């Protein structure tokens, strides 16, 4: 009988140890899951910061390139707070646009860059956030000014003057 009691106590102790071990493992696994989520969030933040850093370095390179003409575009009366910058490579005549300071285009609309060459508007390409300062929008050999209008998605053959946001002379 004493032996049976000892076996029963041993089983109870083993079951208690098993339950403590199980609780400890569940706690550890939960902690690992939280750490994994934190690691993923930090990795995403690092990737976002790295992307922003690359974008800033690209813009800095453009600002310091002696062959790059920088044309500031200021908001017209209806859009006085709007701003943009055109980078015009004097050697290649490629045109780049930084339009981060324009309001987000409404659904179905897109910003279009125009060069004023010989007094006439010439489309210099459609702006999108993916192209911002990274992709040449057009090659413009001669321009006296640049302007941006808001057009239907895909652009227009002629600028919609009442939708002009910014303009800047060279």
């Amino acid at each position: 009988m004493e032996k049976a009691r000892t076996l029963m106590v041993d089983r109870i102790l083993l079951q208690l140890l098993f339950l403590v071990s199980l609780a400890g493992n569940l706690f550890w696994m939960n902690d690992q899951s939280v750490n994994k989520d934190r690691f993923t969030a930090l990795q995403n933040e690092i990737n976002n910061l790295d992307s922003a850093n690359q974008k800033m370095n690209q813009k800095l390179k453009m600002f310091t390139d002696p062959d790059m003409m920088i044309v500031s575009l200021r908001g017209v009366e209806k859009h006085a707070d709007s701003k943009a910058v055109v980078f015009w490579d004097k050697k290649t005549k490629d045109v780049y646009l930084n339009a981060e300071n324009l309001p987000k285009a409404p659904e179905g609309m897109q910003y279009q860059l125009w060069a004023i060459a010989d007094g006439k508007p010439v489309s210099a390409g459609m702006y999108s956030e993916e192209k911002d300062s990274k992709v040449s929008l057009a090659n413009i050999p001669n321009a006296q000014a640049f302007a941006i209008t808001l057009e239907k998605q895909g652009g227009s053959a002629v600028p919609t003057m009442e939708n002009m946001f910014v303009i800047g002379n060279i």
Side-chain angles (χ1 to χ4, degrees):
M1 182 112 130
E2 187 65 34
K3 193 172 184 177
R5 183 181 263 173
T6 304
L7 278 172
M8 190 171 221
V9 169
D10 286 349
R11 281 188 183 167
I12 291 172
L13 285 174
L14 280 173
Q15 287 175 348
L16 281 173
L17 285 173
F18 174 74
L19 289 174
V20 168
S21 173
L22 182 62
N25 282 328
L26 289 173
F27 176 78
W28 181 80
M29 287 173 38
N30 184 48
D31 195 43
Q32 291 301 309
S33 177
V34 168
N35 286 339
K36 183 178 179 183
D37 290 345
R38 286 180 185 158
F39 178 79
T40 301
L42 287 172
Q43 192 65 46
N44 288 339
E45 188 174 338
I46 288 170
N47 290 342
N48 289 341
L49 289 172
D50 186 46
S51 177
N53 187 38
Q54 288 177 1
K55 190 174 182 180
M56 288 301 260
N57 283 336
Q58 181 179 10
K59 288 179 183 178
L60 180 62
K61 184 179 177 187
M62 292 178 90
F63 273 113
T64 58
D65 184 346
D67 290 324
M68 198 66 74
M69 178 181 284
I70 300 169
V71 182
S72 295
L73 307 181
R74 301 277 177 211
V76 297
E77 189 175 324
K78 284 173 37 178
H79 306 285
D81 292 338
S82 296
K83 298 175 194 157
V85 177
V86 167
F87 299 92
W88 189 25
D89 191 317
K90 292 184 278 186
K91 277 186 178 178
T92 66
K93 305 301 182 187
D94 287 338
V95 176
Y96 302 86
L97 177 63
N98 177 309
E100 291 178 351
N101 293 318
L102 290 178
K104 185 167 178 59
E107 188 71 32
M109 303 293 278
Q110 191 175 8
Y111 287 109
Q112 186 166 359
L113 178 65
W114 300 91
I116 311 304
D118 299 322
K120 296 178 183 171
V122 176
S123 177
M126 302 305 296
Y127 172 79
S128 69
E129 290 179 20
E130 297 82 40
K131 291 181 181 177
D132 190 77
S133 301
K134 295 179 206 157
V135 178
S136 172
L137 296 181
N139 187 280
I140 304 293
N142 185 24
Q144 293 83 43
F146 288 97
I148 297 176
T149 60
L150 185 63
E151 305 291 348
K152 289 183 181 175
Q153 191 79 32
S156 173
V158 294
T160 308
M161 298 308 286
E162 56 273 7
N163 287 343
M164 183 182 294
F165 271 70
V166 293
I167 191 165
N169 293 318
I170 296 175

